[in-house]
Amino acid sequence: MNKVLLLFLVVFYSGFPSKGIGSVSTRPLAVNIGAILSFNSTIGRVAKIAIQAAVDDINSNPTILNGTRLKISMLDTKLSAGFLGIIDSFLLMERETAAIIGPQYSVMAHVISHIANEMQVPLLSFAATDPTLTSLQFPYFVRTTQSDLYQMTAVAEIVDHFQWRDVIAIYIDDDHGRNGVSVLGDKLAEKRGKISHKAPLNPGNITREEINSALVKIALMQSRVIVLHIYPSFGLDVMHVARSLGMMVNGYAWIATDWLSTLLDSNPSLFTTQSINDIQGLITLRMYTPESETKRKFSSSWNKVSKEKDPAEGPFALNTFGFYAYDTVWVLASALDAFFRSGGTLSFSNDSSLNMLRGGNFELDSMGVFLDGEKLLKRILEVNRSGLTGQMMFGQDGNLVHSSYKVINVIGNGIRRIGYWSETSGLHTGESPNHSISGDGLYGVIWPGQTTQTPRGWVFSSNGKPLRIGVPLRISYREFVSRTEGTEMFGGYCIDVFTAALSLLPYSVPYKFVSFGDGKTNPLNSDLLHMITAGAFDAVVGDITITTNRTKIVDFTQPYIESGLVVVAPIKKLKSSAWAFLTPFSPMMWFVTGMFFLVVGAVVWILERRINDDFRGPSRRQFVTIIWFSFSTLFFSHREKTISTLGRFVLIIWLFVVLILNSSYIASLTSILTVEQLSSPIKGIESLVISNDRIGFLRGSFAENYLTEELNIHRSRLVPLNSPSEYEKSLKDGAANGGVAAIIDERAYMELFLATRCEFGIVGQEFTKMGWGFGFPKESPLSIDMSTAILKLSENGDLQRIHDKWLTRSACSSEGAKQGIDRLELNSFWGLFLLSGIACFIALLCYAIRMVYRFSRDSNSNIERSSHSDRLRSFLSFVNEREGEDTYRPKRRRKEKCSCRKVVQKGGSLDDSTVSVHIENNPSAQD
């Protein structure tokens, strides 16, 4: 009975090793772990020593695993990234290995991860940087180094920082190279860049001929920015061939991934060899590991450790992957400790599907599934500790958090840090990757060719093939584009701008103009642009309007002329009338102004009459004074003086008002009389849209779609026209006679059309804002350089001079015509002269009537009858006397009149002298 119970307990314990009995399990004395490395590689040689050192440090400290020791088996793949790695993984699985450190290569990791998934054995790789390994397809793969996802993001930001758009990628044609370059393409696309050419190299044995063939092809291409994503063992060979082909000179930019920094760190003697000349001016990345005391101690003891562990190789330098290999072992140890504390056991179960493999030397049927492998994997991903490389902690995607890189530049016999890149801070020049204090960007770079000038990143192709430039063969408006009869040469405004811009480029561009069109009708610009996408043309030059739809198929340069849509219609010139002087003020304005003249005059009279003799006298005289004073303020010629403070206050305010009224009147009247007034029944695009009139447009122009789609004008109202002569005829006929009411076309065309046709004009405002540009294929660097050249033409005045040469036509707005408009004629003022003449005539008539009336009154009271001649002389004498009377009337007239009368009444005598003196002082006394 006891035997049966004991057997039951053994079966129960073996069948459920990871369940509820974990709390009573004991730690094993040793844990089998494996490592798959390439001992002779740059990374593997360092990693082998670092892993062994980490195992020794852990085993020498019993507090880490509480007495459990790590038993490691390291297998050499002999620089093979495939078959030998698979065999090594099988060998490790036979030994009931709890975890495998490695593999070193991403290609091998793809294969072994499938085996690890079946056996539930975690893989901890410190060197497989392929970003696709963290997908759901490989749940048991754990990357304990930084992914190429972040490295390629850093490369893309470097490319964007220097404003490059095209790069060429040279890479090893395996999972490591292809997947890394694929991520680079995605990151560049996010920044509107691209990989223009990919140059894969054989992952097996790369020959010098293969490298030379790839680089010769690259040298003939336009892009001069090259990203080299390769293994350290082949990188220097590529750079040596590149230097021999003249690809390490001014104008080139090389960006190497972390293979170069790894190689330089592992072999410092390279700085003293000829190989350093092959990599001058390169930019490379190095995984950032913060400085710490443990890192410093490990680095200082490295020479001693490496000599002890591998005396045959002798001491060699430590690289970043060595730090990560060391930390990987510690991550595994920390996870194993947590695994055992949580009740995990090292139990393996044979897989029945492997029974068919029984026999042979490998004994594959003996491989067992790690029953608690998933639990150990979970503990690995939960590790959070500080190591030589900084914080070792995994994110949700299985990658290490806080990935960062140091950007370095190879200069002379050393390297120089020019910046950092990190997930959180991007590219910057701060003191550390995650603390940017100096702003975005990088320090100055010494580029290939020992120059500090940033390469343009692109040059015109040196394969000798000229650019095929498509030019529309126009039959109208030949001032813009025209072909010289009998030749293949072109001229015109657009052609001159293009050739002037080309002359400003820092490189020569061979080109050839190719006409497009049948020479009978104007070709469609949209068809011409589609020839670029078809590969028939390398660029298009002409009167090409930049529109939204067209920018989707080609890239345009900076606009070199503005040309929005305008409305052209027949106009009439309005001449100013004889009563134009009344036009500046409306009738109500005239009425209110006149009333205020009277009101102000009355107010001043009220304020002044009690203290000012100028505002006193008979009622008739006071009324005249009010009228005279108020209206004389218009000319500041009033002779009456104001004495009261209130009167002066009112007068000051009123004079200011009169000043404004007078200035406004003069300005408005000047404009009316000197500016040409034009009239048209069409006021602009708004009035044209709501009418039912027919509208003309240039056949093939984008204006047709704009009018129908944007302004909802029915197509039946649109009349396609082919030439300026048809424009003129249709406008003269008018909509009522089968013509059109207006033409809608681009301003550049219409200015030429109106230059010699003064009976038409632009009405309303320009209702679109567009421009003309040169078209190039999508992502063409030439479009960017040409845009810069066009801006230079605009700044130095050459663009305006070209415009004046071809497009200045001023027949309708010449200086003579302008002088004719400014010269004023009599018919604009005869109304004023008429008013003045009528006023003079009425005044003289009134004066004559009054004089006749007074003469007749005085002559009737005269007793003596005189002859007709005497009467005439007497009348003229009377008139002269009355003029003196009207001119001067002393204020004390009545008193002076009575002085003679008083002398007589008092019995005095009036001698002749007394009377003459009195009459001289008082002419009115002769009455």
Side-chain angles (χ1 to χ4, degrees):
M1 182 63 182
N2 293 335
K3 293 181 179 180
V4 174
L5 180 61
L6 180 61
L7 180 61
F8 174 79
L9 291 175
V10 171
V11 173
F12 182 84
Y13 179 80
S14 301
F16 304 93
S18 60
K19 303 301 178 183
I21 61 174
S23 58
V24 298
S25 64
T26 60
R27 291 174 179 260
L29 295 177
V31 177
N32 292 330
I33 63 174
I36 302 177
L37 308 171
S38 176
F39 293 168
N40 293 327
S41 65
T42 302
I43 296 175
R45 184 167 58 248
V46 174
K48 174 185 175 183
I49 307 300
I51 291 173
Q52 189 61 60
V55 171
D56 292 344
D57 292 343
I58 293 171
N59 290 336
S60 62
N61 190 345
T63 61
I64 297 175
L65 289 175
N66 294 323
T68 301
R69 295 176 59 83
L70 295 179
K71 185 178 180 181
I72 187 167
S73 299
M74 288 191 285
L75 302 180
D76 186 9
T77 61
K78 305 292 185 181
L79 293 177
S80 172
F83 178 72
L84 290 182
I86 298 173
I87 299 302
D88 290 341
S89 65
F90 286 150
L91 294 176
L92 293 175
M93 298 296 182
E94 292 178 1
R95 303 172 186 176
E96 296 186 346
T97 302
I100 297 175
I101 298 175
Q104 178 180 331
Y105 296 104
S106 297
V107 176
M108 192 185 303
H110 276 274
V111 178
I112 299 179
S113 292
H114 291 288
I115 303 174
N117 292 344
E118 294 294 330
M119 300 295 103
Q120 299 183 15
V121 176
L123 294 178
L124 289 80
S125 179
F126 59 90
T129 56
D130 179 3
T132 64
L133 286 169
T134 53
S135 64
L136 298 177
Q137 185 181 8
F138 309 108
Y140 280 85
F141 177 84
V142 179
R143 192 195 326 273
T144 57
T145 189
Q146 299 184 29
S147 171
D148 278 344
L149 171 67
Y150 305 110
Q151 179 172 213
M152 294 307 175
T153 303
V155 172
E157 289 199 19
I158 293 173
V159 172
D160 182 65
H161 170 71
F162 292 110
Q163 299 181 358
W164 298 321
R165 289 293 172 262
D166 288 354
V167 303
I168 294 175
I170 303 176
Y171 60 97
I172 293 295
D173 193 15
D174 59 10
D175 291 333
H176 169 72
R178 284 193 302 268
N179 295 332
V181 170
S182 177
V183 171
L184 175 61
D186 295 340
K187 296 302 179 180
L188 287 174
E190 293 176 2
K191 300 182 179 300
R192 300 186 63 185
K194 67 175 183 178
I195 300 176
S196 59
H197 177 71
K198 296 180 179 180
L201 299 176
N202 187 353
N205 186 17
I206 304 178
T207 63
R208 183 64 63 90
E209 289 75 16
E210 181 182 0
I211 296 174
N212 188 80
S213 176
L215 292 182
V216 167
K217 186 182 298 185
I218 291 173
L220 297 176
M221 296 180 179
Q222 295 180 348
S223 179
R224 285 294 182 264
V225 182
I226 303 173
V227 177
L228 187 58
H229 186 50
I230 203 169
Y231 293 124
S233 54
F234 306 128
L236 291 181
D237 294 336
V238 174
M239 297 310 304
H240 181 72
V241 175
R243 182 167 176 258
S244 64
L245 293 176
M247 300 176 67
M248 293 300 297
V249 296
N250 187 13
Y252 280 89
W254 288 78
I255 302 176
T257 52
D258 56 8
W259 67 266
L260 180 57
S261 60
T262 300
L263 187 64
L264 295 176
D265 292 341
S266 304
N267 191 6
S269 61
L270 286 175
F271 290 107
T272 60
T273 64
Q274 291 297 324
S275 298
I276 194 64
N277 297 325
D278 299 335
I279 56 175
Q280 288 295 309
L282 264 70
I283 293 178
T284 186
L285 298 174
R286 176 196 287 161
M287 288 182 285
Y288 175 74
T289 56
E291 297 298 327
S292 62
E293 184 63 23
T294 56
K295 178 183 175 182
R296 187 189 62 80
K297 291 181 178 180
F298 183 77
S299 300
S300 61
S301 62
W302 174 254
N303 289 335
K304 179 181 178 181
V305 172
S306 61
K307 187 175 182 179
E308 293 177 352
K309 301 297 181 181
D310 195 351
E313 291 289 337
F316 44 87
L318 181 62
N319 57 44
T320 307
F321 287 102
F323 292 127
Y324 278 105
Y326 183 88
D327 282 348
T328 299
V329 181
W330 279 89
V331 167
L332 179 57
S334 300
L336 285 171
D337 182 61
F339 172 75
F340 291 134
R341 282 190 283 106
S342 64
T345 59
L346 298 178
S347 301
F348 294 85
S349 172
N350 291 335
D351 190 346
S352 58
S353 62
L354 298 177
N355 290 334
M356 65 183 66
L357 301 176
R358 182 174 300 167
N361 295 328
F362 289 107
E363 299 180 359
L364 297 179
D365 59 318
S366 63
M367 293 192 303
V369 178
F370 186 11
L371 298 179
D372 273 356
E374 185 177 357
K375 181 182 290 188
L376 178 59
L377 175 65
K378 181 180 179 181
R379 295 293 178 264
I380 292 173
L381 296 176
E382 292 175 351
V383 169
N384 184 2
R385 66 180 304 275
S386 295
L388 301 180
T389 58
Q391 196 70 19
M392 297 291 291
M393 183 173 65
F394 300 94
Q396 295 293 331
D397 58 355
N399 289 315
L400 290 176
V401 299
H402 306 309
S403 295
S404 54
Y405 288 84
K406 182 183 295 186
V407 185
I408 57 180
N409 183 206
V410 180
I411 302 174
N413 293 329
I415 57 177
R416 182 173 67 97
R417 176 181 63 83
I418 58 175
Y420 291 102
W421 179 91
S422 68
E423 287 184 81
T424 56
S425 302
L427 203 65
H428 61 88
T429 57
E431 295 300 323
S432 65
N434 298 313
H435 296 84
S436 175
I437 61 174
S438 301
D440 296 337
L442 297 172
Y443 291 122
V445 179
I446 304 298
W447 301 99
Q450 301 298 312
T451 178
T452 58
Q453 183 179 1
T454 302
R456 187 172 59 250
W458 175 87
V459 296
F460 188 73
S461 178
S462 58
N463 54 15
K465 182 181 179 182
L467 288 179
R468 290 174 55 85
I469 309 295
V471 181
L473 191 59
R474 297 194 58 88
I475 62 171
S476 61
Y477 299 115
R478 296 171 60 83
E479 292 86 351
F480 295 107
V481 177
S482 62
R483 185 175 66 179
T484 305
E485 296 296 334
T487 67
E488 291 298 324
M489 299 178 61
F490 286 82
Y493 171 72
C494 301
I495 301 298
D496 280 6
V497 173
F498 178 76
T499 55
L502 279 183
S503 65
L504 295 179
L505 297 181
Y507 48 87
S508 61
V509 179
Y511 64 92
K512 177 184 179 182
F513 288 130
V514 181
S515 61
F516 178 79
D518 56 8
K520 299 179 181 178
T521 59
N522 289 323
L524 299 180
N525 288 336
S526 57
D527 293 343
L528 180 58
L529 293 174
H530 280 292
M531 298 295 287
I532 294 180
T533 60
F537 294 142
D538 300 309
V540 166
V541 172
D543 49 341
I544 311 297
T545 305
I546 303 173
T547 64
T548 303
N549 291 332
R550 291 173 179 177
T551 57
K552 296 177 181 179
I553 59 176
V554 298
D555 277 350
F556 284 98
T557 62
Q558 170 81 15
Y560 57 88
I561 187 174
E562 293 185 0
S563 185
L565 293 177
V566 294
V567 178
V568 172
I571 58 174
K572 295 181 179 179
K573 298 179 181 179
L574 300 180
K575 296 183 179 180
S576 57
S577 67
W579 308 104
F581 65 90
L582 296 175
T583 308
F585 288 166
S586 64
M588 180 58 68
M589 183 67 179
W590 281 114
F591 174 75
V592 172
T593 303
M595 291 302 298
F596 262 88
F597 273 112
L598 298 177
V599 169
V600 171
V603 170
V604 173
W605 175 76
I606 293 172
L607 296 174
E608 295 288 332
R609 62 184 298 272
R610 296 178 67 252
I611 61 176
N612 194 338
D613 291 340
D614 290 339
F615 292 88
R616 300 177 66 183
S619 299
R620 186 183 66 175
R621 182 170 177 270
Q622 294 182 47
F623 178 75
V624 173
T625 300
I626 292 174
I627 299 299
W628 165 256
F629 177 82
S630 60
F631 283 95
S632 66
T633 57
L634 181 63
F635 311 101
F636 306 101
S637 61
H638 50 279
R639 63 185 180 86
E640 292 79 8
K641 296 182 179 180
T642 53
I643 298 176
S644 66
T645 303
L646 292 177
R648 290 178 176 179
F649 173 75
V650 172
L651 185 60
I652 285 294
I653 299 300
W654 177 242
L655 290 178
F656 178 75
V657 174
V658 169
L659 175 64
I660 300 301
L661 291 174
N662 195 16
S663 301
S664 302
Y665 178 85
I666 293 173
S668 180
L669 183 61
T670 302
S671 175
I672 292 172
L673 296 178
T674 60
V675 177
E676 186 178 23
Q677 305 295 314
L678 305 177
S679 174
S680 173
I682 298 173
K683 304 304 179 184
I685 187 63
E686 295 82 6
S687 63
L688 197 60
V689 170
I690 62 177
S691 69
N692 293 321
D693 296 332
R694 288 155 54 91
I695 304 171
F697 68 95
L698 182 64
R699 185 185 299 274
S701 170
F702 74 95
E704 180 180 8
N705 290 334
Y706 183 87
L707 295 175
T708 56
E709 296 175 3
E710 300 295 333
L711 301 181
N712 298 318
I713 297 177
H714 199 273
R715 289 186 183 271
S716 61
R717 294 177 54 194
L718 302 181
V719 180
L721 303 173
N722 294 314
S723 65
S725 59
E726 292 188 16
Y727 280 9
E728 183 176 6
K729 182 178 184 303
S730 297
L731 287 174
K732 287 182 176 180
D733 292 343
N737 299 320
V740 296
I743 298 289
I744 292 181
D745 206 344
E746 298 184 64
R747 176 177 288 275
Y749 298 138
M750 291 297 93
E751 287 179 349
L752 279 179
F753 174 76
L754 298 175
T756 56
R757 297 171 177 87
C758 306
E759 66 271 27
F760 310 118
I762 296 175
V763 295
Q765 300 294 324
E766 185 176 348
F767 57 93
T768 62
K769 292 294 183 182
M770 297 179 178
W772 293 355
F774 306 130
F776 292 90
K778 275 290 188 180
E779 306 297 336
S780 172
L782 188 57
S783 64
I784 300 175
D785 290 350
M786 286 292 289
S787 295
T788 304
I790 290 173
L791 290 176
K792 291 180 181 179
L793 289 176
S794 178
E795 292 172 356
N796 61 26
D798 288 344
L799 195 60
Q800 184 61 41
R801 282 188 284 272
I802 298 174
H803 180 277
D804 296 341
K805 172 185 175 182
W806 290 98
L807 306 182
T808 299
R809 302 289 186 271
S810 56
C812 291
S813 59
S814 62
E815 189 62 28
K818 184 66 172 62
Q819 292 176 357
I821 295 172
D822 292 340
R823 186 179 295 116
L824 300 178
E825 299 178 1
L826 177 62
N827 57 4
S828 298
F829 299 97
W830 68 263
L832 285 173
F833 291 128
L834 178 62
L835 287 178
S836 180
I838 292 174
C840 294
F841 176 77
I842 292 175
L844 290 174
L845 181 62
C846 293
Y847 178 75
I849 292 174
R850 188 177 66 173
M851 293 297 102
V852 170
Y853 170 75
R854 289 185 178 182
F855 174 76
S856 62
R857 186 188 64 181
D858 293 342
S859 63
N860 290 334
S861 62
N862 193 350
I863 300 176
E864 296 181 358
R865 301 296 180 180
S866 60
S867 62
H868 177 74
S869 59
D870 292 337
R871 283 184 176 181
L872 180 59
R873 286 193 297 271
S874 177
F875 175 73
L876 294 175
S877 176
F878 174 79
V879 170
N880 291 332
E881 292 173 356
R882 287 301 179 183
E883 286 180 353
E885 178 185 347
D886 291 341
T887 304
Y888 176 71
R889 288 179 180 268
K891 296 180 180 179
R892 302 183 64 181
R893 171 185 174 188
R894 184 168 299 178
K895 184 175 181 180
E896 292 172 349
K897 274 185 175 182
C898 297
S899 61
C900 296
R901 200 174 293 131
K902 289 179 181 180
V903 172
V904 175
Q905 290 175 356
K906 291 180 180 180
S909 60
L910 294 174
D911 54 9
D912 293 338
S913 61
T914 303
V915 173
S916 60
V917 170
H918 182 73
I919 291 175
E920 182 179 357
N921 295 332
N922 188 7
S924 62
Q926 42 186 344
D927 292 340

